[in-house]
Every structure is written in C-alpha cells, then in structure tokens.
Amino acid sequence: MFDVARNKLTGVIPPDLFMNWPEITSFYAQNNSLAGSIPPEISNASKLQTLLLHHNNLYGKITVEIGRVASLQRLMLSSNSLTGPIPHSVGNLTSLVLLGIFCNNLIGKIPLEIVNLTALESLDLDTNQLEGEVPQALSALQSLEFLDISNNKFSDVIPYLNTRKLLAISLANNSFTGVFPIVLCQQSCLQILDLSNNKLYGKLPRCLRNMQDLLFIDLSSNAFSGNVQMSKNFNLSLESVHLANNGLNGGFAHVLKRCRRLLILDLGENKFSDTIPSWIGFSNPLLRVLILRSNMLHGSIPWQLSQLSFLQLLDLSGNSFIGSIPRNLSNLTSMMQPKLEFNIPLQISYQILHHLVLYIYTERININWKRQYHTFEGAIALMTGIDLSSNYLSGDIPPEFTKFVGLRFLNLSRNHLSGGIPKDIGNLVILETLDLSLNELSGSIPSGISELMSLNLLNLSNNHLSGEIPTGSQLQTLVDPSIYSNNFGLCGFPLDIACSDGSNSTAALFGHSHAQEIEALIWYYSVLAGLTFGFWLWSGSLLLFKSWRVAIFRCVDHIQDRAAKWIFAI
C-alpha cells in the first residue's frame, strides 16, 4: 500500500512508481495539490485494487490505459480538472464497486460499456459537462446503491433502473423530460430522491407511498401539476420536502400532518389555494424552514405557527393573507439567538467493500435575499429571517419582533401595516436586510436603526414617515435617497430636504414654513395699505382745505426757484 493522502504534495505523479512497483494494491494520494495527468504507466500495476486521486489539481484526459487495471475495485478521480470523455476502456473494470469522477470537466456521453460493471454499487458523475441520453445499460447494474449524475446536460427520459437496492438517486439540474418514473416507486429502500431542475411534467403518482424510508425528496423546478395525492399511510420519516416552482394546486398537503420529523418544507411558487392548517404547529414540531411563498393561500396567519420553536426561516410572501401579524410569533425562540451551526445535516451511511461510507447530502433553499432570489446551499442553518411581503396584512408591526436578535432579514413590504416602526429595532444587531416599504407606517424613524451595524439593504419608501432621518454608523453608507422616497415628512441626509430647527414632525416642519409665508404676506399687505392710506390722506387734505393747498403750492414754487438758480449758477 502507498499512502501519502492529506498532505501538501505538489508536482506530478511519478510514472516510475507504477513501473517499479507492479505489486502495489492500494494507492492513496487524495487531498494534495498534485498536478499533471494520470500517467498511462498505471497499467503496469496489474494488482491495483484502490486508486484514490480525488481533490488534487490533475488535468488532461483520463488515460485509456486505466482500463487495463482489471483488478480495480475503487476508483476516485473527483474534484480535479480532468477533461475529455469517459474512456470506453472503463468497461473493462468489471470488478469496480466504486466509481467517482464528479466535479471535473468531462464531456461526451456515458459509454455503453458501462453495462459490464455489474459489481458497481456507487456511481457518481456529478458536476461535469456530460450530455445526451443516459444509456439504458444502467438497468444492468443491479448492485447499484448510489447514483448521482446531477449537474450535467443529460436529456431525454430517465433511464429504467432495475436495481432494488438504491439508497440515493440524484438526477438534478439536467434536461430530463417525461412523467415521474413509476419505476422509482419500486425503490423501497430509497432515502434520498432529487429530480429537481428538469423538465418533468404530469401528476405525482400515488405510488410515492411505497417509499417508506424516504428522508429527502426534491421535485422542485419542474412542471408537475395537480394535487399532491400521497396516501394517508405515507411514511413518517421525511425530513425535507421540496416541491417548489411547479404547477401543483389544490389544498395544503395534509399528508404532511403525520411527518413529525420534518425539518424543511418548501411548497413555494405553486398554485396551492387554502389556509395554513392549524395543525402545523403541533404536527411538525421540528420544522426549521417553512416556505409557502407565491401561492394563492388566504385567511389569517395562524397563531399556531408560534408553536414551532425551532423555526428559523418563515416565508409567506406573495399570497393573500389578511388580518394582523400574530403577536405570539414572538415565541419563535429559535430566532432569538444567532445561529452557530453551519448546515442542517442530512446524511446516510452504507458499506462498500467492508468500508463504512458516510454520505452527507447538502441541503439548499431558495430565498429572496437583497432583492434577488438566491439559492443557499450548505449554509442554510445560518439563515434566519421572516418574509411576509406582498400580502394584505394590516395593523402594526409587533414590537415583540425586536426580540429576534438572530434575524438576518426582515421583509414586511407591500402590505397595509400602520403605526410606527418599533422603537427597539436597534436590537436586531445582525440584521442585514430590512424592507418595510409600501405600507402606511407613520411617525419618526427610531434612532436605534443607526445601531444596525450589519445593515446593507434598507427600504422605508412609500409610507407616511416624518421627521429627521437618523444618522451615524452604518446608515452613513446607505446614501440612496430612494430608500426614503415618498415619505413627505422626512428630512435630512441623504434627502435634499434640510430640517429646520431640528424639527421632527410633519406639523413642525410644514407649520414653521407656513408661518413664514403668512408673516411675509402680512408685511406686504401692511405696506400696501399704508401707502394707499397716506396717498388718500394727503390728496383729501389738498382738496378739502384751500389754505393747505395754497401753502403746499407756494412751497413747491419756492423749491423750483431755488433749484433753477442753482442750475444757472453752475
């Protein structure tokens, strides 16, 4: 055995190593920084059973000579920069049990010769540039337990899988077409099923109830339609359900009532038309992520959501919810502290050649983050937030929300919320996104908002806010005036409206200005009235009193005489 794994080795793999050591049975060089190509001299190692070269910087094509090492049982070339097609000579490796070439730049099709790998238990070709139809030869691989060909360019229908031992299937992010393959329902041991981001359509079959061990199902971003018609006897083991971005309709999936281990539920961007059932609070007590956005759900937000003490992400946006925001949502204790864990683990274990293999499947969610939808993968446990935007909610913002110091985003925009912004908003110390726009909020902006040191997206526009905009700290970096637009009582930076005498109310701001206008008008009319009165006073006196008139005229004549003498003297 040759083992140099998990070091900092560089350079190329020495070809002489295989030429001078033909008896080698195991070659471990994974997790280094080895470069270059796989040497064709590897064919000299006729007794090699294990070749682990994953997580290096290898490039070039996979040498066809590898097909001459018929004794190979485990071949891992993943996470390199390998190019070219999978060589047809791989079909000669009839003893192969584990084949992993994921995260490379391989092109072309899966070779038909793969039909010869009847001992294969794990096949992972994830994240390459492979394309075309997946050969029906996969049906010959009856020992297969793990299949991942996601993140490629495969098309046509999903191939028939004749094995009954599959624990995990991932065909996501391809262009597979057709209806849901009934053959998958025969995989009674299946724990992970991911068909997301394809072009599948039609109704979901009732036979999904046969998957009694299923932990994770992701059918999102396809064109499935109709009701979710799973049996009432559907399994209780489900931990993660992703059905978003389809055309599913009808009522809420009541089958989920029995899934007490459910952690993640994403039914967003469908056509569900129902109320949120009150049983969700006690039937799914472990729920951490609930996404129901962009459906046709209606009614009020049930107070029973407050029973979900582990809930850290709630997205009900883009529906038709009415009424006020339940104040007892403040019981969502998981939002009260920043998250320290990195991911929500979903893992299964299985054995290959008496080695325990732990397969960790990376959870992912799609959320509206900073005005754009982003897919968070692998770090979703860090995401804590509430999105109730684009509904018909009324009443005030519960001040209890300021207890959620673990929140990273809060979006309550496009509702009919009134009252003021909670004065303790500054408690949300790690908040990065705050959107309260397009409501009917009034009053001043709390000075505590300047204490949100992580805030990098703020929108308070289209409300009835007034007074001076707080300054200092992070707010000084938010210089876009549109953040505060269409609040006609606001003044101060970054608006081009100066505040007068530190005014902090609409009445004070506009009252002072109005008083100045009235004062100017009074002065103008007073002067005009004085001039008019003076003119008629003198004119009337000259007309009524002859002696005054004679005296005035003599005075004027005298002034004229003196002026004329002065001019002639010059």
Side-chain angles (χ1 to χ4, degrees), residues 333-363:
T333 54
S334 185
M335 297 186 182
M336 295 183 181
Q337 296 295 330
K339 295 294 176 290
L340 301 177
E341 60 182 324
F342 187 73
N343 194 18
I344 298 177
L346 178 65
Q347 58 188 36
I348 60 175
S349 59
Y350 55 100
Q351 284 193 339
I352 291 183
L353 296 174
H354 307 293
H355 294 277
L356 182 64
V357 178
L358 184 63
Y359 177 68
I360 300 176
Y361 201 78
T362 304
E363 278 282 10

PDB file of all heavy atoms in Angstrom, residues 333-363:
ATOM      1  N   THR A 333     -38.603  30.912  19.401  1.00  0.00           N
ATOM      2  CA  THR A 333     -37.375  31.099  20.184  1.00  0.00           C
ATOM      3  C   THR A 333     -36.113  30.857  19.372  1.00  0.00           C
ATOM      4  O   THR A 333     -35.050  31.371  19.728  1.00  0.00           O
ATOM      5  CB  THR A 333     -37.384  30.167  21.405  1.00  0.00           C
ATOM      6  OG1 THR A 333     -37.612  28.808  20.958  1.00  0.00           O
ATOM      7  CG2 THR A 333     -38.498  30.553  22.364  1.00  0.00           C
ATOM      8  N   SER A 334     -36.211  30.105  18.295  1.00  0.00           N
ATOM      9  CA  SER A 334     -35.021  29.832  17.501  1.00  0.00           C
ATOM     10  C   SER A 334     -34.489  31.085  16.812  1.00  0.00           C
ATOM     11  O   SER A 334     -33.331  31.121  16.397  1.00  0.00           O
ATOM     12  CB  SER A 334     -35.320  28.754  16.446  1.00  0.00           C
ATOM     13  OG  SER A 334     -34.167  28.383  15.740  1.00  0.00           O
ATOM     14  N   MET A 335     -35.344  32.106  16.688  1.00  0.00           N
ATOM     15  CA  MET A 335     -34.918  33.348  16.041  1.00  0.00           C
ATOM     16  C   MET A 335     -34.303  34.340  17.027  1.00  0.00           C
ATOM     17  O   MET A 335     -33.864  35.408  16.623  1.00  0.00           O
ATOM     18  CB  MET A 335     -36.114  34.002  15.341  1.00  0.00           C
ATOM     19  CG  MET A 335     -36.703  33.173  14.216  1.00  0.00           C
ATOM     20  SD  MET A 335     -37.990  34.074  13.335  1.00  0.00           S
ATOM     21  CE  MET A 335     -38.520  32.831  12.126  1.00  0.00           C
ATOM     22  N   MET A 336     -34.264  33.969  18.286  1.00  0.00           N
ATOM     23  CA  MET A 336     -33.824  34.912  19.302  1.00  0.00           C
ATOM     24  C   MET A 336     -32.319  34.913  19.523  1.00  0.00           C
ATOM     25  O   MET A 336     -31.813  35.768  20.258  1.00  0.00           O
ATOM     26  CB  MET A 336     -34.538  34.622  20.628  1.00  0.00           C
ATOM     27  CG  MET A 336     -36.035  34.855  20.563  1.00  0.00           C
ATOM     28  SD  MET A 336     -36.821  34.575  22.159  1.00  0.00           S
ATOM     29  CE  MET A 336     -38.547  34.894  21.738  1.00  0.00           C
ATOM     30  N   GLN A 337     -31.622  33.963  18.916  1.00  0.00           N
ATOM     31  CA  GLN A 337     -30.173  33.914  19.054  1.00  0.00           C
ATOM     32  C   GLN A 337     -29.539  33.643  17.698  1.00  0.00           C
ATOM     33  O   GLN A 337     -30.087  32.878  16.896  1.00  0.00           O
ATOM     34  CB  GLN A 337     -29.762  32.807  20.036  1.00  0.00           C
ATOM     35  CG  GLN A 337     -30.225  33.019  21.463  1.00  0.00           C
ATOM     36  CD  GLN A 337     -29.577  34.237  22.099  1.00  0.00           C
ATOM     37  OE1 GLN A 337     -28.459  34.612  21.766  1.00  0.00           O
ATOM     38  NE2 GLN A 337     -30.284  34.861  23.045  1.00  0.00           N
ATOM     39  N   PRO A 338     -28.392  34.260  17.407  1.00  0.00           N
ATOM     40  CA  PRO A 338     -27.686  33.955  16.150  1.00  0.00           C
ATOM     41  C   PRO A 338     -27.309  32.480  16.083  1.00  0.00           C
ATOM     42  O   PRO A 338     -26.980  31.865  17.103  1.00  0.00           O
ATOM     43  CB  PRO A 338     -26.432  34.848  16.219  1.00  0.00           C
ATOM     44  CG  PRO A 338     -26.785  35.921  17.196  1.00  0.00           C
ATOM     45  CD  PRO A 338     -27.713  35.295  18.190  1.00  0.00           C
ATOM     46  N   LYS A 339     -27.377  31.941  14.860  1.00  0.00           N
ATOM     47  CA  LYS A 339     -27.065  30.527  14.667  1.00  0.00           C
ATOM     48  C   LYS A 339     -25.556  30.324  14.601  1.00  0.00           C
ATOM     49  O   LYS A 339     -24.833  31.077  13.958  1.00  0.00           O
ATOM     50  CB  LYS A 339     -27.733  30.013  13.389  1.00  0.00           C
ATOM     51  CG  LYS A 339     -29.254  30.021  13.460  1.00  0.00           C
ATOM     52  CD  LYS A 339     -29.739  29.022  14.510  1.00  0.00           C
ATOM     53  CE  LYS A 339     -31.241  29.067  14.687  1.00  0.00           C
ATOM     54  NZ  LYS A 339     -31.687  30.296  15.347  1.00  0.00           N
ATOM     55  N   LEU A 340     -25.089  29.278  15.264  1.00  0.00           N
ATOM     56  CA  LEU A 340     -23.673  28.947  15.278  1.00  0.00           C
ATOM     57  C   LEU A 340     -23.345  27.786  14.359  1.00  0.00           C
ATOM     58  O   LEU A 340     -22.218  27.671  13.876  1.00  0.00           O
ATOM     59  CB  LEU A 340     -23.223  28.628  16.710  1.00  0.00           C
ATOM     60  CG  LEU A 340     -23.437  29.765  17.735  1.00  0.00           C
ATOM     61  CD1 LEU A 340     -23.010  29.297  19.123  1.00  0.00           C
ATOM     62  CD2 LEU A 340     -22.665  30.998  17.322  1.00  0.00           C
ATOM     63  N   GLU A 341     -24.322  26.895  14.125  1.00  0.00           N
ATOM     64  CA  GLU A 341     -24.062  25.774  13.232  1.00  0.00           C
ATOM     65  C   GLU A 341     -24.040  26.250  11.790  1.00  0.00           C
ATOM     66  O   GLU A 341     -24.596  27.289  11.448  1.00  0.00           O
ATOM     67  CB  GLU A 341     -25.115  24.681  13.424  1.00  0.00           C
ATOM     68  CG  GLU A 341     -26.538  25.137  13.140  1.00  0.00           C
ATOM     69  CD  GLU A 341     -27.557  24.047  13.380  1.00  0.00           C
ATOM     70  OE1 GLU A 341     -27.239  22.886  13.110  1.00  0.00           O
ATOM     71  OE2 GLU A 341     -28.668  24.365  13.832  1.00  0.00           O
ATOM     72  N   PHE A 342     -23.392  25.454  10.927  1.00  0.00           N
ATOM     73  CA  PHE A 342     -23.201  25.872   9.539  1.00  0.00           C
ATOM     74  C   PHE A 342     -24.245  25.269   8.620  1.00  0.00           C
ATOM     75  O   PHE A 342     -24.711  25.898   7.693  1.00  0.00           O
ATOM     76  CB  PHE A 342     -21.805  25.465   9.073  1.00  0.00           C
ATOM     77  CG  PHE A 342     -21.444  25.988   7.708  1.00  0.00           C
ATOM     78  CD1 PHE A 342     -21.154  27.324   7.530  1.00  0.00           C
ATOM     79  CD2 PHE A 342     -21.407  25.142   6.610  1.00  0.00           C
ATOM     80  CE1 PHE A 342     -20.820  27.820   6.283  1.00  0.00           C
ATOM     81  CE2 PHE A 342     -21.076  25.623   5.360  1.00  0.00           C
ATOM     82  CZ  PHE A 342     -20.775  26.957   5.198  1.00  0.00           C
ATOM     83  N   ASN A 343     -24.618  24.038   8.840  1.00  0.00           N
ATOM     84  CA  ASN A 343     -25.538  23.371   7.918  1.00  0.00           C
ATOM     85  C   ASN A 343     -26.526  22.528   8.695  1.00  0.00           C
ATOM     86  O   ASN A 343     -26.298  22.173   9.860  1.00  0.00           O
ATOM     87  CB  ASN A 343     -24.757  22.498   6.931  1.00  0.00           C
ATOM     88  CG  ASN A 343     -25.626  22.054   5.761  1.00  0.00           C
ATOM     89  OD1 ASN A 343     -26.666  22.633   5.502  1.00  0.00           O
ATOM     90  ND2 ASN A 343     -25.208  21.032   5.058  1.00  0.00           N
ATOM     91  N   ILE A 344     -27.632  22.228   8.050  1.00  0.00           N
ATOM     92  CA  ILE A 344     -28.596  21.277   8.596  1.00  0.00           C
ATOM     93  C   ILE A 344     -28.227  19.915   8.033  1.00  0.00           C
ATOM     94  O   ILE A 344     -28.399  19.660   6.838  1.00  0.00           O
ATOM     95  CB  ILE A 344     -30.026  21.661   8.211  1.00  0.00           C
ATOM     96  CG1 ILE A 344     -30.366  23.035   8.800  1.00  0.00           C
ATOM     97  CG2 ILE A 344     -31.018  20.618   8.702  1.00  0.00           C
ATOM     98  CD1 ILE A 344     -31.736  23.543   8.421  1.00  0.00           C
ATOM     99  N   PRO A 345     -27.667  19.031   8.826  1.00  0.00           N
ATOM    100  CA  PRO A 345     -27.124  17.770   8.273  1.00  0.00           C
ATOM    101  C   PRO A 345     -28.207  16.816   7.809  1.00  0.00           C
ATOM    102  O   PRO A 345     -29.250  16.668   8.444  1.00  0.00           O
ATOM    103  CB  PRO A 345     -26.350  17.187   9.459  1.00  0.00           C
ATOM    104  CG  PRO A 345     -27.027  17.754  10.668  1.00  0.00           C
ATOM    105  CD  PRO A 345     -27.511  19.113  10.278  1.00  0.00           C
ATOM    106  N   LEU A 346     -27.964  16.209   6.671  1.00  0.00           N
ATOM    107  CA  LEU A 346     -28.792  15.124   6.171  1.00  0.00           C
ATOM    108  C   LEU A 346     -27.833  14.080   5.634  1.00  0.00           C
ATOM    109  O   LEU A 346     -27.155  14.310   4.628  1.00  0.00           O
ATOM    110  CB  LEU A 346     -29.732  15.613   5.072  1.00  0.00           C
ATOM    111  CG  LEU A 346     -30.623  14.537   4.444  1.00  0.00           C
ATOM    112  CD1 LEU A 346     -31.589  13.980   5.475  1.00  0.00           C
ATOM    113  CD2 LEU A 346     -31.386  15.066   3.247  1.00  0.00           C
ATOM    114  N   GLN A 347     -27.735  12.977   6.291  1.00  0.00           N
ATOM    115  CA  GLN A 347     -26.715  12.017   5.922  1.00  0.00           C
ATOM    116  C   GLN A 347     -27.245  10.593   6.008  1.00  0.00           C
ATOM    117  O   GLN A 347     -28.133  10.283   6.796  1.00  0.00           O
ATOM    118  CB  GLN A 347     -25.484  12.174   6.818  1.00  0.00           C
ATOM    119  CG  GLN A 347     -25.779  12.004   8.298  1.00  0.00           C
ATOM    120  CD  GLN A 347     -24.589  12.359   9.171  1.00  0.00           C
ATOM    121  OE1 GLN A 347     -23.838  13.276   8.863  1.00  0.00           O
ATOM    122  NE2 GLN A 347     -24.398  11.626  10.255  1.00  0.00           N
ATOM    123  N   ILE A 348     -26.687   9.768   5.159  1.00  0.00           N
ATOM    124  CA  ILE A 348     -26.978   8.341   5.186  1.00  0.00           C
ATOM    125  C   ILE A 348     -25.646   7.599   5.146  1.00  0.00           C
ATOM    126  O   ILE A 348     -24.630   8.138   4.699  1.00  0.00           O
ATOM    127  CB  ILE A 348     -27.877   7.896   4.012  1.00  0.00           C
ATOM    128  CG1 ILE A 348     -27.191   8.196   2.675  1.00  0.00           C
ATOM    129  CG2 ILE A 348     -29.231   8.560   4.086  1.00  0.00           C
ATOM    130  CD1 ILE A 348     -27.972   7.670   1.479  1.00  0.00           C
ATOM    131  N   SER A 349     -25.637   6.407   5.606  1.00  0.00           N
ATOM    132  CA  SER A 349     -24.410   5.609   5.609  1.00  0.00           C
ATOM    133  C   SER A 349     -24.669   4.262   4.947  1.00  0.00           C
ATOM    134  O   SER A 349     -25.769   3.716   5.024  1.00  0.00           O
ATOM    135  CB  SER A 349     -23.898   5.412   7.033  1.00  0.00           C
ATOM    136  OG  SER A 349     -24.868   4.765   7.832  1.00  0.00           O
ATOM    137  N   TYR A 350     -23.661   3.769   4.288  1.00  0.00           N
ATOM    138  CA  TYR A 350     -23.737   2.454   3.671  1.00  0.00           C
ATOM    139  C   TYR A 350     -22.326   1.890   3.579  1.00  0.00           C
ATOM    140  O   TYR A 350     -21.334   2.609   3.762  1.00  0.00           O
ATOM    141  CB  TYR A 350     -24.398   2.516   2.289  1.00  0.00           C
ATOM    142  CG  TYR A 350     -23.762   3.478   1.309  1.00  0.00           C
ATOM    143  CD1 TYR A 350     -22.897   3.021   0.325  1.00  0.00           C
ATOM    144  CD2 TYR A 350     -24.046   4.840   1.357  1.00  0.00           C
ATOM    145  CE1 TYR A 350     -22.324   3.901  -0.573  1.00  0.00           C
ATOM    146  CE2 TYR A 350     -23.479   5.731   0.460  1.00  0.00           C
ATOM    147  CZ  TYR A 350     -22.613   5.249  -0.497  1.00  0.00           C
ATOM    148  OH  TYR A 350     -22.033   6.115  -1.394  1.00  0.00           O
ATOM    149  N   GLN A 351     -22.222   0.604   3.312  1.00  0.00           N
ATOM    150  CA  GLN A 351     -20.926  -0.065   3.276  1.00  0.00           C
ATOM    151  C   GLN A 351     -20.536  -0.425   1.858  1.00  0.00           C
ATOM    152  O   GLN A 351     -21.359  -0.910   1.071  1.00  0.00           O
ATOM    153  CB  GLN A 351     -20.931  -1.326   4.143  1.00  0.00           C
ATOM    154  CG  GLN A 351     -20.845  -1.036   5.629  1.00  0.00           C
ATOM    155  CD  GLN A 351     -20.525  -2.288   6.432  1.00  0.00           C
ATOM    156  OE1 GLN A 351     -20.731  -3.402   5.979  1.00  0.00           O
ATOM    157  NE2 GLN A 351     -20.014  -2.096   7.638  1.00  0.00           N
ATOM    158  N   ILE A 352     -19.272  -0.197   1.542  1.00  0.00           N
ATOM    159  CA  ILE A 352     -18.698  -0.612   0.270  1.00  0.00           C
ATOM    160  C   ILE A 352     -17.391  -1.336   0.571  1.00  0.00           C
ATOM    161  O   ILE A 352     -16.479  -0.740   1.168  1.00  0.00           O
ATOM    162  CB  ILE A 352     -18.458   0.583  -0.669  1.00  0.00           C
ATOM    163  CG1 ILE A 352     -19.794   1.167  -1.134  1.00  0.00           C
ATOM    164  CG2 ILE A 352     -17.624   0.171  -1.869  1.00  0.00           C
ATOM    165  CD1 ILE A 352     -19.665   2.307  -2.112  1.00  0.00           C
ATOM    166  N   LEU A 353     -17.318  -2.580   0.195  1.00  0.00           N
ATOM    167  CA  LEU A 353     -16.132  -3.404   0.440  1.00  0.00           C
ATOM    168  C   LEU A 353     -15.715  -3.351   1.912  1.00  0.00           C
ATOM    169  O   LEU A 353     -14.550  -3.155   2.258  1.00  0.00           O
ATOM    170  CB  LEU A 353     -14.968  -2.943  -0.447  1.00  0.00           C
ATOM    171  CG  LEU A 353     -15.192  -3.097  -1.958  1.00  0.00           C
ATOM    172  CD1 LEU A 353     -14.041  -2.469  -2.725  1.00  0.00           C
ATOM    173  CD2 LEU A 353     -15.344  -4.564  -2.315  1.00  0.00           C
ATOM    174  N   HIS A 354     -16.703  -3.485   2.772  1.00  0.00           N
ATOM    175  CA  HIS A 354     -16.496  -3.515   4.217  1.00  0.00           C
ATOM    176  C   HIS A 354     -16.012  -2.179   4.779  1.00  0.00           C
ATOM    177  O   HIS A 354     -15.576  -2.098   5.925  1.00  0.00           O
ATOM    178  CB  HIS A 354     -15.512  -4.623   4.610  1.00  0.00           C
ATOM    179  CG  HIS A 354     -15.885  -5.967   4.068  1.00  0.00           C
ATOM    180  ND1 HIS A 354     -17.019  -6.654   4.476  1.00  0.00           N
ATOM    181  CD2 HIS A 354     -15.285  -6.747   3.122  1.00  0.00           C
ATOM    182  CE1 HIS A 354     -17.097  -7.800   3.816  1.00  0.00           C
ATOM    183  NE2 HIS A 354     -16.058  -7.881   2.990  1.00  0.00           N
ATOM    184  N   HIS A 355     -16.086  -1.123   3.966  1.00  0.00           N
ATOM    185  CA  HIS A 355     -15.767   0.217   4.433  1.00  0.00           C
ATOM    186  C   HIS A 355     -17.077   0.981   4.638  1.00  0.00           C
ATOM    187  O   HIS A 355     -17.941   0.991   3.763  1.00  0.00           O
ATOM    188  CB  HIS A 355     -14.894   0.967   3.428  1.00  0.00           C
ATOM    189  CG  HIS A 355     -13.527   0.387   3.254  1.00  0.00           C
ATOM    190  ND1 HIS A 355     -12.476   0.666   4.095  1.00  0.00           N
ATOM    191  CD2 HIS A 355     -13.033  -0.474   2.322  1.00  0.00           C
ATOM    192  CE1 HIS A 355     -11.395   0.032   3.701  1.00  0.00           C
ATOM    193  NE2 HIS A 355     -11.705  -0.676   2.621  1.00  0.00           N
ATOM    194  N   LEU A 356     -17.196   1.633   5.788  1.00  0.00           N
ATOM    195  CA  LEU A 356     -18.387   2.431   6.056  1.00  0.00           C
ATOM    196  C   LEU A 356     -18.270   3.753   5.312  1.00  0.00           C
ATOM    197  O   LEU A 356     -17.312   4.500   5.487  1.00  0.00           O
ATOM    198  CB  LEU A 356     -18.545   2.685   7.552  1.00  0.00           C
ATOM    199  CG  LEU A 356     -19.793   3.483   7.960  1.00  0.00           C
ATOM    200  CD1 LEU A 356     -21.063   2.704   7.629  1.00  0.00           C
ATOM    201  CD2 LEU A 356     -19.744   3.836   9.450  1.00  0.00           C
ATOM    202  N   VAL A 357     -19.250   4.031   4.461  1.00  0.00           N
ATOM    203  CA  VAL A 357     -19.275   5.274   3.693  1.00  0.00           C
ATOM    204  C   VAL A 357     -20.375   6.158   4.247  1.00  0.00           C
ATOM    205  O   VAL A 357     -21.538   5.744   4.328  1.00  0.00           O
ATOM    206  CB  VAL A 357     -19.515   4.995   2.191  1.00  0.00           C
ATOM    207  CG1 VAL A 357     -19.590   6.313   1.422  1.00  0.00           C
ATOM    208  CG2 VAL A 357     -18.429   4.101   1.631  1.00  0.00           C
ATOM    209  N   LEU A 358     -20.004   7.366   4.654  1.00  0.00           N
ATOM    210  CA  LEU A 358     -20.966   8.333   5.171  1.00  0.00           C
ATOM    211  C   LEU A 358     -21.251   9.347   4.074  1.00  0.00           C
ATOM    212  O   LEU A 358     -20.363  10.094   3.663  1.00  0.00           O
ATOM    213  CB  LEU A 358     -20.414   9.032   6.408  1.00  0.00           C
ATOM    214  CG  LEU A 358     -21.361  10.000   7.119  1.00  0.00           C
ATOM    215  CD1 LEU A 358     -22.578   9.257   7.659  1.00  0.00           C
ATOM    216  CD2 LEU A 358     -20.634  10.749   8.225  1.00  0.00           C
ATOM    217  N   TYR A 359     -22.478   9.349   3.595  1.00  0.00           N
ATOM    218  CA  TYR A 359     -22.860  10.266   2.518  1.00  0.00           C
ATOM    219  C   TYR A 359     -23.662  11.411   3.110  1.00  0.00           C
ATOM    220  O   TYR A 359     -24.738  11.216   3.671  1.00  0.00           O
ATOM    221  CB  TYR A 359     -23.670   9.535   1.455  1.00  0.00           C
ATOM    222  CG  TYR A 359     -24.155  10.435   0.343  1.00  0.00           C
ATOM    223  CD1 TYR A 359     -23.258  11.007  -0.541  1.00  0.00           C
ATOM    224  CD2 TYR A 359     -25.501  10.719   0.191  1.00  0.00           C
ATOM    225  CE1 TYR A 359     -23.687  11.842  -1.551  1.00  0.00           C
ATOM    226  CE2 TYR A 359     -25.953  11.552  -0.827  1.00  0.00           C
ATOM    227  CZ  TYR A 359     -25.026  12.113  -1.688  1.00  0.00           C
ATOM    228  OH  TYR A 359     -25.448  12.948  -2.689  1.00  0.00           O
ATOM    229  N   ILE A 360     -23.118  12.617   3.013  1.00  0.00           N
ATOM    230  CA  ILE A 360     -23.778  13.817   3.535  1.00  0.00           C
ATOM    231  C   ILE A 360     -24.370  14.577   2.359  1.00  0.00           C
ATOM    232  O   ILE A 360     -23.640  15.030   1.471  1.00  0.00           O
ATOM    233  CB  ILE A 360     -22.785  14.699   4.309  1.00  0.00           C
ATOM    234  CG1 ILE A 360     -22.190  13.912   5.487  1.00  0.00           C
ATOM    235  CG2 ILE A 360     -23.484  15.953   4.819  1.00  0.00           C
ATOM    236  CD1 ILE A 360     -21.129  14.676   6.253  1.00  0.00           C
ATOM    237  N   TYR A 361     -25.686  14.709   2.360  1.00  0.00           N
ATOM    238  CA  TYR A 361     -26.354  15.418   1.265  1.00  0.00           C
ATOM    239  C   TYR A 361     -26.552  16.876   1.667  1.00  0.00           C
ATOM    240  O   TYR A 361     -27.028  17.180   2.761  1.00  0.00           O
ATOM    241  CB  TYR A 361     -27.705  14.777   0.947  1.00  0.00           C
ATOM    242  CG  TYR A 361     -28.191  15.108  -0.440  1.00  0.00           C
ATOM    243  CD1 TYR A 361     -27.672  14.450  -1.541  1.00  0.00           C
ATOM    244  CD2 TYR A 361     -29.149  16.093  -0.638  1.00  0.00           C
ATOM    245  CE1 TYR A 361     -28.102  14.757  -2.814  1.00  0.00           C
ATOM    246  CE2 TYR A 361     -29.587  16.408  -1.911  1.00  0.00           C
ATOM    247  CZ  TYR A 361     -29.058  15.730  -2.994  1.00  0.00           C
ATOM    248  OH  TYR A 361     -29.479  16.049  -4.269  1.00  0.00           O
ATOM    249  N   THR A 362     -26.155  17.758   0.780  1.00  0.00           N
ATOM    250  CA  THR A 362     -26.179  19.185   1.071  1.00  0.00           C
ATOM    251  C   THR A 362     -27.581  19.755   0.850  1.00  0.00           C
ATOM    252  O   THR A 362     -28.108  19.717  -0.252  1.00  0.00           O
ATOM    253  CB  THR A 362     -25.176  19.934   0.183  1.00  0.00           C
ATOM    254  OG1 THR A 362     -23.873  19.367   0.375  1.00  0.00           O
ATOM    255  CG2 THR A 362     -25.133  21.405   0.549  1.00  0.00           C
ATOM    256  N   GLU A 363     -28.154  20.280   1.918  1.00  0.00           N
ATOM    257  CA  GLU A 363     -29.449  20.938   1.811  1.00  0.00           C
ATOM    258  C   GLU A 363     -29.297  22.280   1.100  1.00  0.00           C
ATOM    259  O   GLU A 363     -28.230  22.898   1.104  1.00  0.00           O
ATOM    260  CB  GLU A 363     -30.044  21.167   3.197  1.00  0.00           C
ATOM    261  CG  GLU A 363     -30.747  19.963   3.770  1.00  0.00           C
ATOM    262  CD  GLU A 363     -32.124  19.756   3.185  1.00  0.00           C
ATOM    263  OE1 GLU A 363     -32.460  20.440   2.190  1.00  0.00           O
ATOM    264  OE2 GLU A 363     -32.868  18.920   3.709  1.00  0.00           O
TER     265      GLU A 363
END
